[in-house]
Amino acid sequence: MNTSILILSPFLSISGGVSSYVLSLRGFWGINEKYFFRGGHGSNTLAKSYYFAKHFFNFLFKGLLGNPDAPVFINTSLNKNAYSRDLMYIKACRLFKRDFYIFIHGWDTSYFTTIKNHSSSDSFKFAKKIFVLSEDFKNDLVSIGIDEGKIEVEVTVVNSEFIDFFNINKSLFKGDSIKLLYLARLEKDKGIFRLLDAFKILSDNIPNLQLRIAGSGSAETEVTDWISSNSKLDISYIGRIDGTLKYEYFAWADYYVLPTSHGEGLPISVLEAITAGCVVIVPPVGGLKYFFKDQEMGFLLNDLSPSSLANVIIDSLKNVELLNSISNQNFKRGKSLYSPTVVVDRLKKHIYG
């Protein structure tokens, strides 16, 4: 087995699912990990071009030429900015006859439609393996002629500090309140306003109900205005959180709710909520459609209306024994399937056999 791997990634200081994934796996490969970063620099076209060239030639000379035979693990997303940029790195791997593996974290369906009949999509055919986060994404690649045997449906990862923070003794509904957590970007298509409207309905039916909202985004002002206009409800906006504070809010929550209509891959926040022992409520969109097990990880939201979301929570509270079973099974599942060690072991089997 080759003792080195070249890992292409956004800069780890840039927030986002791809950099979080790479950072969570860092140090767990058990071989010499060599990182090459791109993106995130330059405020104008000239500066961006300069930094692109600098990063690309660094990868070319210090990466490919400096590490003969080391495989390349490319972390990208299928959207215009990321894929058009990373296509150059894929072409470099092909030029140097280097084995490369592509992990597609984000998936823009409309962008895929524009490139599926374009020659740029042929580059996928030369990858040794392609990792995606949904069976739908796999089927899309097969539809353009990619060998099905090359495509693996994977999951993202929960970092080791998060996993170590929790223990299996978490019990739901032992206090005098029911606690809901939303932790995601504040965007309309992420479902934040559906949740707020559902919470209003729930508050008329369930005493001592609490909601905490974490994240940032374009709808932040609208969200805070909504909370101010409904000040009698127990809702707090806590902004963007990370580290121990994020762990503490997941530990605090009974339910994690993400009523999104966005074309999700597989949100890390959902894996974190499962690992924390929360009961998760999500719709069957993107990677969640195939990944999420209804009544085992929580509850699927097949109707995105606020009243339907409220009813799912009201009905679930009729069976506290089931809720506690879901919580404990989620914790076990998170530790056994989403830890960095387990994820890296799966990847290495695909890369090294």
Side-chain angles (χ1 to χ4, degrees), residues 189-299:
D189 63 356
K190 288 284 191 177
I192 179 59
F193 294 104
R194 295 186 191 99
L195 176 56
L196 289 171
D197 290 340
F199 190 85
K200 202 170 185 178
I201 297 169
L202 286 166
S203 295
D204 292 333
N205 294 273
I206 302 171
N208 302 318
L209 189 68
Q210 298 178 323
L211 170 62
R212 300 296 176 260
I213 298 169
S216 60
S218 64
E220 183 173 338
T221 300
E222 200 172 344
V223 168
T224 54
D225 287 347
W226 194 102
I227 294 171
S228 297
S229 299
N230 295 271
S231 57
K232 291 183 179 180
L233 302 178
D234 191 348
I235 304 175
S236 295
Y237 171 57
I238 53 180
R240 183 177 168 185
I241 57 175
D242 212 337
T244 302
L245 185 59
K246 181 173 77 169
Y247 309 163
E248 289 172 348
Y249 270 102
F250 271 115
W252 168 88
D254 298 317
Y255 291 91
Y256 176 74
V257 188
L258 184 66
T260 177
S261 59
H262 183 71
E264 304 287 346
L266 186 57
I268 290 177
S269 63
V270 171
L271 269 63
E272 290 174 332
I274 289 170
T275 303
C278 296
V279 174
V280 178
I281 299 178
V282 291
V285 296
L288 293 169
K289 185 193 305 183
Y290 300 97
F291 163 81
F292 193 82
K293 294 179 172 59
D294 191 28
Q295 307 279 324
E296 294 182 28
M297 297 174 172
F299 303 95

Side-chain angles (χ1 to χ4, degrees), residues 73-108:
F73 188 66
I74 300 172
N75 293 277
T76 190
S77 291
L78 195 67
N79 59 54
K80 184 177 180 180
N81 290 335
Y83 184 67
S84 58
R85 174 197 61 211
D86 292 341
L87 191 58
M88 290 292 293
Y89 291 87
I90 292 171
K91 289 180 177 179
C93 291
R94 290 178 57 192
L95 179 66
F96 285 85
K97 302 186 186 314
R98 189 64 56 88
D99 288 349
F100 65 95
Y101 301 78
I102 305 175
F103 198 124
I104 304 174
H105 295 265
W107 191 278
D108 184 333

